[in-house]
Amino acid sequence: MSSLSEQVILITGASTGIGAALAKTLSERYMGIRLAIAARNVEKLEAVADFCRKAGAEVLTVPTDLENLEQVEALAQSAIAHFGRIDALVNNAGYGQMGPVELIPIQAIQKQFQVNLIAPLVLIRAVVPQMRSQGGGRIINISSLGGRLAFPFGGLYSSSKFALEGLSDALRMELAPFNIKVSVIEPGPVSTNFFAASAQAVEENVTAPETSPYRAAFAKLKNLEKQTSNQAWTSERVAEVIIKALVARNPRPRYVAATGGRILLFMMTKVLPTKIVDAFWQKFYGIDLVAKDWQNSQAARK
């Protein structure tokens, strides 16, 4: 796949952010490329499709809600029926459910895993037989640094991405005999609406966060986007890393798409004691403020 011209690439979450940037970059760079793009928002998806068609790509749009597994299966079937093959699947769609594990409703937990893990798995299972019969293919799963490092208020997001990484490792070994190559992309902060969507998920799923024992951390959560903005990558920059994995003759198992990401992972997982790592993340996400607030409230009761 050193040249992606005339290849068929299926991309989820393609209406905005990384998915849209990937579709647009591929259509501009590879003449004759064929794209199957999926997302919930039909209007935004069609806008991306129009851009890609004007650049010379053949595009199939398939509006898809990843919470609906019948629609997920239909997405793969539609792409195969339309193009006759799928050369690469990019499982890009996903979101972050932020908040303390204790307070997230079961329904929100199920949705987090449905979108970030189960839907990609269903798509993979649907495309593997076709890839095997045609002699090979690529599967690119978009994870996160949060798929290697867990942090406060990100327990559900991280656990879903940890699971996606474990799934990818198993698939990489299982599918190697069929020339189906599996890679994971691990972005850090990205200039998308991730934190805005996370904040909205908090509002929808956590009752009265401002009166919970975690209120100090909830208050700090609102400013996290500002704290990480200077390190954030553009969606286009992450798309370049995905393309690197798509065209490599022997793609790596993992690609870090974050400034200083490799050093961060090395320090956090190989060098620093767990106690130090915990303290860093607790301060970053305001859990140290939760501790002080709790101690003060307990002292006031005495």
Side-chain angles (χ1 to χ4, degrees), residues 47-121:
V48 174
D50 287 344
F51 179 99
C52 295
R53 290 184 184 116
K54 289 176 182 177
E58 180 181 351
V59 184
L60 171 69
T61 59
V62 187
T64 306
D65 182 353
L66 295 188
E67 290 186 72
N68 187 320
L69 296 187
E70 291 182 358
Q71 290 187 24
V72 175
E73 291 179 343
L75 165 61
Q77 294 165 1
S78 297
I80 294 171
H82 184 85
F83 293 113
R85 63 187 293 124
I86 294 177
D87 295 290
L89 165 63
V90 181
N91 277 312
N92 167 70
Y95 76 102
Q97 172 65 64
M98 300 295 285
V101 172
E102 174 190 357
L103 300 184
I104 306 300
I106 292 297
Q107 295 86 345
I109 295 172
Q110 292 172 328
K111 179 180 177 180
Q112 180 76 108
F113 278 83
Q114 185 90 345
V115 173
N116 287 11
L117 177 67
I118 297 175
L121 174 56

Side-chain angles (χ1 to χ4, degrees), residues 116-257:
N116 287 11
L117 177 67
I118 297 175
L121 174 56
V122 169
L123 264 181
I124 290 167
R125 287 163 58 95
V127 304
V128 161
Q130 175 64 36
M131 288 183 175
R132 180 166 47 230
S133 68
Q134 70 196 24
R138 298 285 171 97
I139 296 171
I140 309 291
N141 291 326
I142 310 303
S143 179
S144 165
L145 289 183
R148 301 281 294 280
L149 300 168
F151 44 86
F153 271 47
L156 293 177
Y157 177 69
S158 280
S159 58
S160 69
K161 292 299 188 180
F162 267 68
L164 184 64
E165 298 235 1
L167 176 68
S168 301
D169 285 340
L171 287 167
R172 187 181 66 251
M173 294 181 277
E174 292 174 359
L175 300 180
F178 314 119
N179 192 34
I180 301 173
K181 299 178 180 180
V182 182
S183 295
V184 169
I185 310 297
E186 298 170 336
V190 182
S191 301
T192 64
N193 64 344
F194 178 87
F195 284 108
S198 298
Q200 182 179 349
V202 168
E203 292 179 5
E204 292 174 353
N205 296 312
V206 179
T207 303
E210 68 280 356
T211 62
S212 79
Y214 304 95
R215 54 184 172 268
F218 275 117
K220 188 170 184 179
L221 186 64
K222 297 177 182 179
N223 297 315
L224 277 184
E225 188 167 7
K226 294 180 181 178
Q227 288 183 247
T228 60
S229 61
N230 64 332
Q231 296 293 318
W233 282 25
T234 63
S235 297
E236 289 74 17
R237 190 174 177 185
V238 178
E240 292 293 345
V241 178
I242 299 172
I243 293 171
K244 185 177 181 180
L246 285 170
V247 302
R249 184 176 297 275
N250 295 299
R252 299 199 300 264
R254 286 174 171 80
Y255 291 81
V256 175

